[in-house]
Amino acid sequence: MVLGMEQTLRIGEAAERSGLASSAIRYYESMGILPEPGRTDSGYRGYADDDVDLLRFVARLRRLEFPLSDVREIVALRRDGKPPCVAVRATISREAAAVESRIEDLKRLQRELRNLEAQVKDLPDDWPTTCVCNVVAPTATENE
């Protein structure tokens, strides 16, 4: 579709208004998350205000770290005039649980690193017999 220049924004302007980088917009278009934009007479991508609203929506979903597959589904529902609320709610719940799990994993890692830190605090750097490397070397059970 060819658009008149006065009706559209170029990709840089749409990127600035939406908070997405131009490269991200092109990427999302290539992945089928965003529709192919119209083109101006000179072949430039052209974006209308509604397109910028959709770009802002996608930017917000990505800032929330929604997976691309979910963003694609949510945007498709929205573009088809169907409410994406159920999909958004499900993604929020799933991603919140995943964040909680990552936090617990990070807390375990922090405890382990603090324990190692205490073990190596006063350890001499006497390579290769007595040094930090021996403390962090994997045990036989970790290799199995």
Side-chain angles (χ1 to χ4, degrees), residues 114-132:
R114 290 296 180 205
N115 287 336
L116 286 170
E117 182 179 43
Q119 289 177 37
V120 302
K121 179 179 177 198
D122 297 318
L123 195 63
D125 290 334
D126 186 16
W127 174 261
T129 56
T130 309
C131 71
V132 173

Side-chain angles (χ1 to χ4, degrees), residues 9-23:
L9 303 169
R10 287 191 180 177
I11 193 168
E13 296 165 309
E16 188 175 313
R17 290 184 185 189
S18 68
L20 286 172
S22 298
S23 59

